[in-house]
């Protein structure tokens, strides 16, 4: 080590200097004495190839810790105070004695230390940096063939490239040339990291210019910047598509990250080389080229009127295939400052496939209603008819892009609602085989799209989005008709039916009505008359996914229109409510859960099925007892969670069955929930308890009883009576047990609930109640059981004063803070990490290992 010119000072262990802010969210000490004591042994173990020190996760955590240390103090001081680190770094110059995993780690660690310029110069004196990152260094190692080593080399360079000294080193050491070659690395991670590093070096090279000064021509740029720009330019002229792709990827990232005036000079320098790409047949690296042009178009520093970008985008749109041009057209329409002429061209590109569909299936000479100039090009027609995969891919892409575009602020206006709706309905007819094409092209489309689930799903998604526009009545009726046909077709797949239900709901919600109206239109009511028989059929489907989708659809229908008389009449005239209740005993748990939600909505709206006779189970016990039975006995969690959600809605909405005896209802539910092994059920049970507390205390605010008679005071339930109710119910005990639940979300919810209860009851307790020690013995006994770990033991009968005393004695704020931390925060200290790594090689005594 001394032969390298690095003379470390004698070891000096420092005391506590700086708080360790976060190693996975834990407070600790940066290089405290214990860490300093363990560090030499760990460095020796890392340098020993015979030791399997740790896995990659531990090394990543160790690297993160060193990053935190160097952010808070001098890297040079750290190396001088801990010579074992310098010895470890120098040891990897003999790579045959180091494992590839440790070699990659040390390369990155050197970069972390060398990010500070004084430490960089210190390490450079002994030629350590040249030995690791120079042409004769890591590149000649046998371990270089391992991707993780190459990745560590790149990451190390990226970390140290933060100051002028690093730029000179990169220019003189040959590292930049090696980065160029790594752009084509067989490992995608290495290749991507190499491109990112080039962008980082280019930006670092150019950041030295004074603000407001003239940007020099590219020929006068710093050495590293010139080298990168020359390489990119040569790659753009290359006949090999991979090299063109690499150059475009570097440029895309550069213009996306760097918003400085020098990027305008870069664009002017490379624009001719980019323009030459359009002269090739075929155009190379199309997707990368589109990403690059859009990245340039989003730059806030370019003068677009003078840089020729809009003309290049227009040229690109005109010479790409329909499938290739679609993403570029959508990206162009999303631009903030795009000329109207280019927007019109881009929108026309997106509309072309649907224009071809209309022209192939109607007698009209052209697609009516589309913007001027939108005609189906011969290339688009050829793509649609060339093969099933090409046709399906183009239509699915187009429908998804138009669906995305319609909801954007940049959506073109006027929006061609009518022709788009016609084309979408036509596509659905082509898929279900009911279209009547008027040309040979239409006939071929029928054969291509018949029964195509992918296109049906995309068309139904877009159809639902189009419901937000204004359409003529006759076209709305066509929409209802095609939806009915899709829903009743035995050929419709479960996913298509789900999409059809979703689209139907959206069209029913917006059937050309005013925003203030929520009633169903006469046409929608006629549609429902056709829909309920289909829904009955789907509720009896042998496919559980179909039954589930039908129940979800029914639940949404009732939630939106359950109070409308015409809807209620149509629903009562069908067998849908009876079938929905029967599915509470479905063999599939997902269906049972959806049936619970539907039954809850039916009951809330007074739409539940009338029992056939007094002997039926529903007549004897009612829906409430049926749901209680599911909560207590169902073997799957989904139905039980659904029951709790329904019960909470019933309690919040004042359901008749709940209001009849609220205390019995809450007590019975919490008793069942307290035994449930599903943590989500317990969380939902605590939410139900919170709703009960709010209602019982006369929220939105609980007023102290001593304010009665003051202006604005209300007459809430007397606190003593309320507290006695809580003591009779298992609510307090349930929340207290949940406070120490092994599932953190349950404990957090319980802590919030008890904080709420304490804040609303303890301040309002009378001085006599607050100071009454008559129950101090029972309070202390209950708390003592908790301290001794008997959390599952019942509290027993508590008086209100005892309950208030328990609430006052608990440090709920402190517990809330501890619960907010991750479950392993105690074990994430640096000292624990070092101990664990050393324990794997047997350096520590058995009792020193932090085995958690």
């Amino acid at each position: 080590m001394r032969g390298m010119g690095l003379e470390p000072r004698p070891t000096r262990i420092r005391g506590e200097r700086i708080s360790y802010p976060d190693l996975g969210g834990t407070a600790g000490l940066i290089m405290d004495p214990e860490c300093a004591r363990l560090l030499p042994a760990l460095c020796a173990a890392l340098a020993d190839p015979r030791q399997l020190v740790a896995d990659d996760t531990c090394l990543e955590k160790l690297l993160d810790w060193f990053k935190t240390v160097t952010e808070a103090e001098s890297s040079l001081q750290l190396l001088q105070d801990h010579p074992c680190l310098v010895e470890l770094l120098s040891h990897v110059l003999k790579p045959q004695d180091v494992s590839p995993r440790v070699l990659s780690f040390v390369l990155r660690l050197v970069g972390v230390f060398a990010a500070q310029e004084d430490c960089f110069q210190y390490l450079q004196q002994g030629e350590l940096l040249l030995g690791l990152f120079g042409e004769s260094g890591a590149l000649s190692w046998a371990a270089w063939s391992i991707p993780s080593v190459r990745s560590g080399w790149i990451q190390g360079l990226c970390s140290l490239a933060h100051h002028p000294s690093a730029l000179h080193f990169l220019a003189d050491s040959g590292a930049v040339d090696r980065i160029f070659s790594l752009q084509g690395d067989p490992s995608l991670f290495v290749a991507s990291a190499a491109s990112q590093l080039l962008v980082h070096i280019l930006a670092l090279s150019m950041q030295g210019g004074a603000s407001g000064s003239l940007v020099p021509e590219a020929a006068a740029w710093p050495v590293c910047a010139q080298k990168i720009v020359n390489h990119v330019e040569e790659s753009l002229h290359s006949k090999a598509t991979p090299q063109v792709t690499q150059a475009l990827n570097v440029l895309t990232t550069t213009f996306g990250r760097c918003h400085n005036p020098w990027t305008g000079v870069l664009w002017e320098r490379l624009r001719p080389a980019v323009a030459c790409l359009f002269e090739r047949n075929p155009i190379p690296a199309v997707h990368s080229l589109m990403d690059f042009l859009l990245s340039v178009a989003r730059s806030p520093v370019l003068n677009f009127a003078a840089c020729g970008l809009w003309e290049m985008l227009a040229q690109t749109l005109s010479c790409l295939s329909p499938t290739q041009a679609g993403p570029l057209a959508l990206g162009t329409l999303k631009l903030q400052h795009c000329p109207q002429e280019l927007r019109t061209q881009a929108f026309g590109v997106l509309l072309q496939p649907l224009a071809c569909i209309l022209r192939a299936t109607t007698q009209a000479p052209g697609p009516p209603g589309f913007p001027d100039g939108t005609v189906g090009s011969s290339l688009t027609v050829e793509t649609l008819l060339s093969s099933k995969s090409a046709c399906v891919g183009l239509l699915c892409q187009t429908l998804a892009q138009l669906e995305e575009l319609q909801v954007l602020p940049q959506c073109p206006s006027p929006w061609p609602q009518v022709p788009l709706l016609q084309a979408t309905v036509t596509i659905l007819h082509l898929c279900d085989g009911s279209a009547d094409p008027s040309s040979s092209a239409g006939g071929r489309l029928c054969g291509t799209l018949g029964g195509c689930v992918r296109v049906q799903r995309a068309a139904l998604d877009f159809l639902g989005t189009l419901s937000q526009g204004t359409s003529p009545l006759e076209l709305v009726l066509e929409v209802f008709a095609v939806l009915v046909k899709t829903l009743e077709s035995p050929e419709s797949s479960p996913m298509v039916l789900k999409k059809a239900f979703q689209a139907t709901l959206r069209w029913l919600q917006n059937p050309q009505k005013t925003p203030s109206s929520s009633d169903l239109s006469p046409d929608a009511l006629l549609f429902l008359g056709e829909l309920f028989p289909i829904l009955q059929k789907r509720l009896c489907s042998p496919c559980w996914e179909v039954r589930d989708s039908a129940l979800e659809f029914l639940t949404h229908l009732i939630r939106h229109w359950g109070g409308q008389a015409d809807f209620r009449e149509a629903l009562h005239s069908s067998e849908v409510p009876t079938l929905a209740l029967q599915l509470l005993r479905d063999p599939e748990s997902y269906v049972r859960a959806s049936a619970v939600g539907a039954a809850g909505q039916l009951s809330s709206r007074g739409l539940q099925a009338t029992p056939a006779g007094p002997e039926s189970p529903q007549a004897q016990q009612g829906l409430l007892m049926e749901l209680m039975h599911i909560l207590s006995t169902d073997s799957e969690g989904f139905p039980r969670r659904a029951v709790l959600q329904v019960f909470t809605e019933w309690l919040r909405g004042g359901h008749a069955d709940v209001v009849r005896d609220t205390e019995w209802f809450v007590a019975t539910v919490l008793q069942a929930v307290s035994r449930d092994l599903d943590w989500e059920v317990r969380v939902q049970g605590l939410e139900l308890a919170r709703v009960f507390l709010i209602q019982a205390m006369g929220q939105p605010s609980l007023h102290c009883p001593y304010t009665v008679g003051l202006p604005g005071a209300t007459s809430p339930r007397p606190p003593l009576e309320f507290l006695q109710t809580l003591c009779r119910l298992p609510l307090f005990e349930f929340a207290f047990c949940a406070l120490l639940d092994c599932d953190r979300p349950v404990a957090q919810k319980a802590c919030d609930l008890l904080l709420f209860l304490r804040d609303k009851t303890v301040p309002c307790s009378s001085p006599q109640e607050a100071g009454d020690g008559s129950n101090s013995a029972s309070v202390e006994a209950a708390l003592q059981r908790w301290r001794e770990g008997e959390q599952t033991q019942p509290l027993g009968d508590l008086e209100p004063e005892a309950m208030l005393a328990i609430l006052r004695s608990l440090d709920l704020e402190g517990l809330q803070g501890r619960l907010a931390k991750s479950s392993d925060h105690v074990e994430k200290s640096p000292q624990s990490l070092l101990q664990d790594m050393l324990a794997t090689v047997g350096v520590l005594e058995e009792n020193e290992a932090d085995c958690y």
Side-chain angles (χ1 to χ4, degrees):
M1 189 66 231
R2 287 180 169 78
M4 293 181 58
L6 297 176
E7 299 291 339
R9 299 179 184 176
T11 303
R12 177 169 61 86
I13 298 178
R14 294 173 291 175
E16 302 174 2
R17 289 209 242 166
I18 303 168
S19 293
Y20 182 73
D22 187 13
L23 184 77
T26 309
L29 296 173
I30 289 181
M31 203 58 74
D32 62 4
E34 180 60 21
C35 289
R37 183 184 71 82
L38 296 172
L39 196 58
L42 179 62
C43 290
L46 288 172
D48 189 348
R50 298 169 298 175
Q51 302 286 2
L52 296 175
V53 177
D55 57 17
D56 292 331
T57 302
C58 288
L59 290 174
E60 288 293 336
K61 291 179 179 179
L62 186 62
L63 187 68
D64 289 340
W65 176 54
F66 276 117
K67 288 178 181 177
T68 307
V69 172
T70 56
E71 287 171 2
E73 59 182 80
S74 165
S75 298
L76 177 59
Q77 188 71 34
L78 182 69
L79 292 181
Q80 291 175 336
D81 288 349
H82 301 280
C84 59
L85 290 172
V86 181
E87 293 170 4
L88 173 63
L89 301 185
S90 61
H91 184 77
V92 299
L93 292 175
K94 299 179 288 183
Q96 66 275 11
D97 295 337
V98 183
S99 70
R101 178 183 294 161
V102 174
L103 181 57
S104 175
F105 164 77
V106 172
L107 286 168
R108 291 183 291 163
L109 183 61
V110 170
V112 170
F113 291 146
Q116 297 180 15
E117 194 162 12
D118 57 348
C119 189
F120 176 93
Q121 293 168 351
Y122 173 74
L123 293 173
Q124 195 177 25
Q125 292 173 5
E127 299 186 350
L128 176 64
L129 294 178
L130 198 60
L132 293 178
F133 297 106
E135 282 185 310
S136 60
L139 315 183
S140 60
W141 301 342
W144 185 254
S145 61
I146 301 173
S148 63
V149 173
R150 301 195 298 276
S151 178
W153 185 85
I154 292 174
Q155 292 178 53
L157 280 178
C158 190
S159 296
L160 67 82
H162 281 88
H163 42 74
S165 297
L167 288 176
H168 295 306
F169 172 77
L170 291 169
D172 299 337
S173 65
V176 175
D177 293 323
R178 174 56 60 173
I179 300 170
F180 292 155
S181 66
L182 288 175
Q183 283 185 282
D185 195 272
S187 167
L188 295 179
F189 294 103
V190 174
S192 175
S195 295
Q196 302 287 328
L197 178 54
L198 288 177
V199 175
H200 177 74
I201 295 171
L202 179 59
L204 178 66
S205 301
M206 298 303 299
Q207 74 179 10
S211 177
S213 61
L214 292 176
V215 180
E217 294 296 321
W221 285 4
V223 175
C224 276
Q226 286 192 53
K227 202 165 190 177
I228 293 172
V229 172
N230 291 338
H231 170 74
V232 168
E233 189 171 25
E234 291 174 7
S235 298
L236 289 175
H237 288 294
S238 172
K239 300 300 181 182
T241 298
Q243 291 190 21
V244 177
T245 302
Q246 294 162 16
L248 291 171
N249 290 343
V250 169
L251 292 175
T252 300
T253 307
T254 300
F255 280 89
R257 290 183 183 175
C258 307
H259 301 151
N260 308 96
W262 61 265
T263 56
V265 178
L266 179 63
W267 166 252
E268 290 299 328
R269 162 79 179 269
L270 298 177
R271 184 174 63 170
V274 175
C276 289
L277 297 177
F278 295 98
E279 300 174 2
R280 303 192 199 176
N281 189 18
I283 298 175
V286 170
H287 294 293
S288 297
L289 179 60
M290 291 189 297
D291 290 341
F292 167 59
L293 293 178
L294 291 174
S295 180
V296 175
R298 298 185 193 104
S299 172
V301 297
L302 292 186
N303 181 4
F304 296 117
C307 72
L309 178 65
W310 303 135
E311 292 80 3
M312 190 171 291
L313 280 171
Q315 179 187 3
T316 309
L317 286 170
S318 63
C319 65
L320 294 179
S321 70
T323 305
Q324 294 172 334
L328 180 61
L330 180 61
T332 302
L333 289 168
K334 290 181 180 180
L335 297 174
Q336 296 292 335
H337 308 291
C338 180
Q340 184 57 43
E341 184 178 357
L342 182 59
R343 288 178 58 82
T344 301
Q345 180 187 359
F347 194 35
V349 168
L350 286 185
L351 295 175
Q352 279 183 4
L354 300 191
C356 288
I357 292 291
L358 285 181
R359 191 170 65 176
T361 54
T362 62
Q363 297 291 343
F370 278 122
D372 293 339
T374 303
V375 294
S377 69
S378 58
L379 191 58
T380 304
V381 175
E382 181 181 339
T383 302
L384 287 171
L385 301 179
S386 61
S387 67
K388 181 169 183 175
S389 61
C391 178
V392 168
L394 178 58
L395 285 180
C396 289
Q397 172 182 281
T398 300
L399 292 166
Q401 289 166 343
L402 289 170
E403 180 186 0
E404 179 182 352
L405 181 63
Q406 187 181 8
V407 299
L408 293 177
Q410 301 90 349
C411 177
S413 180
W415 176 259
Q417 172 77 7
V418 171
L420 286 175
L421 196 52
Q422 289 175 330
T424 307
V425 170
T426 300
I427 289 173
L428 289 171
H429 284 312
L430 288 169
C431 291
D432 64 26
S434 62
D436 185 16
S438 60
S439 65
S440 60
R444 292 177 63 184
L445 284 173
C446 278
T448 300
L449 297 178
C452 182
V453 173
R454 278 187 61 199
V455 175
Q456 278 183 296
R457 289 165 54 183
L460 287 167
D461 280 338
F462 186 43
L463 186 66
T465 303
L466 289 172
S467 66
Q468 304 307 308
T470 302
S471 308
L473 179 58
E474 60 273 14
L475 200 49
V476 173
L477 295 178
E478 284 189 43
V479 170
F480 285 156
V482 76
L483 287 172
V484 166
K485 186 172 182 58
T486 303
L487 289 170
E488 69 181 358
S489 171
E491 304 299 324
S492 295
S493 69
M495 182 53 69
V496 167
L497 287 172
K498 186 179 183 69
K499 297 287 187 183
F501 278 130
Q502 292 170 347
T504 299
L505 189 65
R506 298 185 71 173
W507 276 93
L508 286 172
Q509 286 175 309
N510 189 31
Q512 314 304 314
K513 61 194 179 190
T514 61
S516 60
S517 172
S518 60
D519 291 342
L520 289 166
S521 67
D523 299 301
L525 287 171
L526 290 174
F527 176 47
L528 280 178
E530 299 180 71
L531 192 61
F532 280 132
I534 298 173
L535 195 56
Q536 290 177 196
K537 174 185 174 183
R538 294 305 182 185
L539 288 172
C540 300
S541 171
C543 178
W544 74 263
E545 292 97 334
V546 175
R547 301 195 301 275
D548 188 56
S549 297
L551 285 166
E552 290 180 353
F553 176 66
L554 173 63
T555 304
H556 286 296
L557 285 180
I558 300 168
R559 183 174 288 120
H560 283 96
W561 298 289
Q564 187 175 341
D566 292 333
F567 174 85
R568 296 169 69 89
E569 182 180 351
L571 182 62
H572 272 308
S573 64
S574 71
E575 297 295 321
V576 168
T578 302
L579 294 172
L581 291 178
Q582 290 175 358
L583 292 177
L584 289 172
R585 296 180 176 85
D586 194 275
E588 175 55 51
S589 63
Y590 291 105
V591 178
R592 295 198 300 277
S594 297
V596 167
Q601 283 293 321
L602 285 167
S603 182
S604 296
R605 298 285 190 160
L607 293 168
Q608 62 267 38
T610 303
E615 301 302 321
S616 66
Q618 286 84 359
Q620 293 177 0
Q621 61 180 10
L623 179 61
L624 176 61
M625 299 308 298
E626 178 82 7
L627 296 184
M628 286 286 190
H629 179 73
I630 292 174
L631 178 61
S632 302
T633 63
D634 199 295
S635 60
E636 298 289 339
F638 297 109
R640 303 198 305 275
R641 296 173 199 167
V643 169
L644 258 296
Q645 291 170 357
V646 167
F647 281 169
T648 305
E649 290 180 11
W650 282 7
L651 181 61
R652 189 179 284 118
H655 189 280
D657 289 343
V658 174
V659 173
R660 189 175 297 117
D661 191 346
T662 304
E663 291 184 15
W664 172 87
F665 170 78
V666 172
T668 306
V669 171
L670 294 185
Q671 187 176 15
V673 171
S674 64
R675 299 191 298 265
D676 203 295
L677 299 179
D678 189 318
W679 69 266
E680 294 190 48
V681 172
R682 300 197 296 278
V683 167
Q684 189 64 41
L686 289 163
E687 174 62 20
L688 182 141
R690 189 187 71 86
V691 172
F692 171 74
L693 288 177
I694 292 174
Q695 293 183 344
M697 292 189 297
Q699 284 295 306
S701 62
L702 176 65
H703 300 274
C704 190
Y706 306 111
T707 64
V708 174
L710 294 178
T714 63
S715 300
R717 192 174 187 180
L720 183 58
E721 180 185 349
F722 167 69
L723 294 174
Q724 288 172 342
T725 299
L726 287 186
C727 291
R728 287 197 305 270
L729 294 174
L731 187 149
F732 183 70
E733 184 168 325
F734 170 60
F736 204 43
C737 291
L739 194 63
L740 297 170
D741 197 287
C742 59
D743 290 296
R744 190 167 48 152
V746 180
Q748 287 176 312
K749 188 77 172 179
C751 189
D752 294 341
L753 179 67
L754 289 173
L755 274 169
F756 171 78
L757 180 60
R758 188 196 66 185
D759 293 343
K760 299 301 182 183
T761 56
V762 173
C764 289
S765 59
S766 66
Q768 180 181 0
E769 291 172 341
D772 190 350
S774 60
N775 286 279
S776 59
S778 64
V779 172
E780 183 58 34
L783 292 176
Q784 185 63 32
R785 289 200 300 269
W786 247 250
R787 295 188 190 102
E788 293 173 356
E790 299 180 27
Q791 292 88 7
T792 59
Q793 297 299 319
L795 290 175
D797 295 332
L798 290 177
E799 293 299 321
E801 296 81 2
M803 188 182 74
L804 291 174
I806 292 176
L807 285 174
R808 283 193 298 269
S809 66
L810 291 174
D811 179 18
L812 294 173
E813 288 85 359
L815 179 59
Q816 191 178 46
R818 291 192 295 274
L819 289 171
K821 299 177 181 178
S822 61
S823 58
D824 58 347
H825 69 277
V826 176
E827 289 80 16
K828 282 191 173 181
S829 67
Q831 177 181 335
S832 173
L833 175 64
L834 299 183
Q835 288 175 338
D836 288 344
M837 295 181 71
L838 287 172
T840 62
V841 295
V843 174
L844 296 176
E845 295 296 331
E846 184 177 351
N847 60 352
E848 288 186 87
D850 184 11
C851 299
Y852 51 86

